[in-house]
Amino acid sequence: SAVISQKPSRDICQRGTSLTIQCQVDSQVTMMFWYRQQPGQSLTLIATANQGSEATYESGFVIDKFPISRPNLTFSTLTVSNMSPEDSSIYLCSVDSADRALLGGYTFGSGTRLTVV
Amino acid sequence: RKEVEQDPGPFNVPEGATVAFNCTYSNSASQSFFWYRQDCRKEPKLLMSVYSSGNEDGRFTAQLNRASQYISLLIRDSKLSDSATYLCVVIFMNRDDKIIFGKGTRLHILP
């Protein structure tokens, strides 16, 4: 399965600022996914990032707040903009396996633990 | 009804015991099912896929019951290292895949 390098692993940020999270994959992948996991909660999909097109956002998430870049097939960034304490969460990137139906599942980056003060 | 529901636990189980937990899903169009394991402060990692015929991987057995819309995970001869949160994942493959994570079941294996 793919190996994902995600950084930063954690950050403490002032409210009103922005943080950009990076994910680098060791192989080319069509789709990359960005998730948020709030304390005590499961993962919620923020958006799907395809190379060469705008990201597709899930209900409740907008591009102005969470701009995403996908400049090539191995890299993506998620920016958390104009942060507030409610944005404190773990953010994870993910890629799917080459044949999801057979091999099963997704690989996740190690996550970025964001605290907004 | 929530799309994917799991008993949050925690399940406190003595080492060596057998433990099982279920995950129910609401959408009968669901097509792919997985169990993930998430250790504290770590990312989720795929534990096993769940096939209609059921599947086994060592001490772990996963089963799917489409009629009752649930999947199960059975862990035999539990080890201390099995302590983690187990996430149920359901994928609805329509025009756009929809991936739903359960909130997870916390398992504590007691020495």
Side-chain angles (χ1 to χ4, degrees), chain A residues 31 100 106, chain B residues 3 26-32 90-100:
Chain A
M31 292 192 290
R100 185 172 62 237
Y106 296 79
Chain B
E3 290 182 290
S26 60
N27 190 329
S28 59
S30 305
Q31 293 182 313
S32 296
V90 177
I91 299 179
F92 313 130
M93 292 183 183
N94 297 316
R95 182 181 54 190
D96 302 308
D97 290 357
K98 187 175 182 182
I99 310 158
I100 306 295

Side-chain angles (χ1 to χ4, degrees), chain A residues 10 31 33 35 37 40-43 45 58 90 92 100-111 113, chain B residues 32 34 36 38 40-46 49 51 87-89 91 93 97-104:
Chain A
R10 58 178 63 236
M31 292 192 290
F33 307 90
Y35 286 87
Q37 186 174 29
Q41 301 297 314
S42 191
L43 284 79
L45 181 64
E58 297 299 305
I90 299 172
L92 299 117
R100 185 172 62 237
L102 292 178
L103 298 179
Y106 296 79
T107 300
F108 287 85
S110 54
R113 185 176 295 274
Chain B
S32 296
F34 307 96
Y36 279 75
Q38 186 171 26
C40 187
R41 296 177 176 268
K42 298 287 188 181
E43 74 274 20
K45 292 186 178 178
L46 178 65
S49 305
Y51 304 126
L87 304 172
C88 165
V89 177
I91 299 179
M93 292 183 183
D97 290 357
K98 187 175 182 182
I99 310 158
I100 306 295
F101 284 79
K103 290 188 175 182

Side-chain angles (χ1 to χ4, degrees), chain B residues 35-105:
Chain B
W35 284 104
Y36 279 75
R37 171 193 170 127
Q38 186 171 26
D39 292 292
C40 187
R41 296 177 176 268
K42 298 287 188 181
E43 74 274 20
K45 292 186 178 178
L46 178 65
L47 179 64
M48 58 198 307
S49 305
V50 187
Y51 304 126
S52 296
S53 56
N55 49 307
E56 186 174 315
D57 183 4
R59 298 181 293 109
F60 298 83
T61 300
Q63 291 191 312
L64 166 63
N65 185 318
R66 285 194 183 271
S68 301
Q69 295 184 198
Y70 73 86
I71 65 172
S72 63
L73 180 67
L74 178 79
I75 306 174
R76 289 180 298 276
D77 186 25
S78 54
K79 312 290 185 190
L80 294 176
S81 57
D82 294 333
S83 297
T85 296
Y86 291 84
L87 304 172
C88 165
V89 177
V90 177
I91 299 179
F92 313 130
M93 292 183 183
N94 297 316
R95 182 181 54 190
D96 302 308
D97 290 357
K98 187 175 182 182
I99 310 158
I100 306 295
F101 284 79
K103 290 188 175 182
T105 297

